[in-house]
Every structure is written in structure tokens, then in C-alpha cells.
Amino acid sequence: MVYRIFAVLIVGFWLVMTGLLVRLEIAPEKSAVLDVPVAHIFRTMFAHGQQSLLDITENGLPVGSLVLTPKAEADERSLGFSGTLWLRVPGMVKQRMSWEGLVKLDRALRLTGGQFELNVVESRSHLVLTMPKAGESLHCELTQGNARILDTEITVDAAGLARAQKELGFDVSPFLAAQKNVSAPQIVSRQTEHLFHGEKISVFQITIGPPGSALAEIYFSQLGQVLEARTPFGYTLLSQD
């Protein structure tokens, strides 16, 4: 079961990174009709470099934490992230997970590479996903205890995904079908007021999803800190500040 979970994570990461490369558009000229361009919010985040410390709750109960650390150096931008989570998996005991990673961007906020590491404490499992250069390949390494289960390079194309399917023993066709049938989510950003810790403050709001049925809502401070995020998975993230 744990192996299958990691297989889903690997394929999911592959699809997310591919989707970012192809569909996610945050350039200012693409957001001319929005109240606040999405790129402006992200540039504010990197300009001020304010760390976001977030508590994760599920149905009001604390289940983990997340730290986001933006950095700007010369022509490079990076967003570091780390956190912990108690994950409920049907048919399994609650899993303790921890992760850390780094997303690398250029000055125009185009993805250039990244890395993601995930630990599952109970199963002593460790997953490392590395994309040295955006759009080229994804290196996957999975260990459980002292045993190395997987160590492979997957190219970011149909052939690479077919190879992943063979090595993982996991049918990825449903993911491919979903990727073809689901259009890029609508991203709307604006400046608004939001009730935060009992006080109404001015924030930037990013809404992802079709109008009237948002998949996620993210609220940023005027300095680019993430204050709150609501997800479709039952998790809510709230700043500790």
C-alpha cells in the first residue's frame, strides 16, 4: 500500500510539473483584465522575502504545519518549503509525514527546476524527486528502511511516463486521461478585505477554479506572506502570526 502511495505521488508530481510548464501563466500581460496581476503578488513575495509560517487543520483539528521561504538572488528566485502532516489513509493507521523542497524560478518567474523530499515515519520510507532542469527529466529515488526500491530517471514526455508505468507497476492511464479532459483552472487575483484573527485587513486574494466553485483560495498580506489557504481536500492553512 505504501509503495502504491508513493507511485501516485511520483506520477502526480510529474503531471503537476508538466502542467506548470505548459498551462500556468503568471506573466503580467496575461493578467491585464485582473484587478491585481498574479505576477505582482508573487513578485511582492520575493521582493520582501517574508517567511510564511502556517498551521494545517483538518475539520478544525490541528494536523500539521507548513513553512514557505521565498528568496531573490540576482536573476534567480527560489521558494523553499517544509512541513509535517498526519495523514489519514483508508485501511491504514494514520501516517506521520514530513517533507521539504525547493522550487527554482528565473527572474520572469518561469520554472527552472526543483526538488521534493518526503518521509513517511511509520514505514521508514523516503522519496526524493528531483527536476534538475525544467521540462527535461525527473529523477525518482525511493527507499524503505535500508532497501532501495526505486532509482530511475523519467523523461518529461509520453515515453518517460510509459517507462514509469512499467517500473512502478502502476497504471497511469487514468491520470493521462484526466490531464487531457481537464482544462487549465481559471486563476483570478484581486485586492480585497479579509477577516483575519478577528480583524479586517487589506489582502491579496487568489482564487483557483471556475467562478462560483473555487478549488482553492489563497490570501496574501501586502508584504507577500501567505495568511490563509483553503483547499478542496478538507485542509485549511492559517498563518501563525
Side-chain angles (χ1 to χ4, degrees), residues 135-173:
E136 293 188 2
S137 63
L138 178 64
H139 184 261
C140 307
E141 182 179 337
L142 174 62
T143 57
Q144 190 164 15
N146 295 323
R148 179 167 294 182
I149 299 174
L150 181 69
D151 188 354
T152 188
E153 195 87 10
I154 301 173
T155 55
V156 185
D157 53 23
L161 196 56
R163 178 186 169 192
Q165 175 173 323
K166 181 178 179 181
E167 295 196 15
L168 294 170
F170 183 75
D171 184 11
V172 299
S173 56

Side-chain angles (χ1 to χ4, degrees), residues 92-118:
M92 297 179 62
V93 297
K94 194 160 56 173
Q95 302 289 309
R96 286 181 296 167
M97 310 177 76
S98 65
W99 64 84
E100 61 179 335
L102 185 70
V103 176
K104 298 180 181 179
L105 309 162
D106 63 16
R107 192 181 185 88
L109 302 182
R110 292 185 294 259
L111 182 68
T112 60
Q115 179 172 323
F116 174 69
E117 294 189 34
L118 175 69

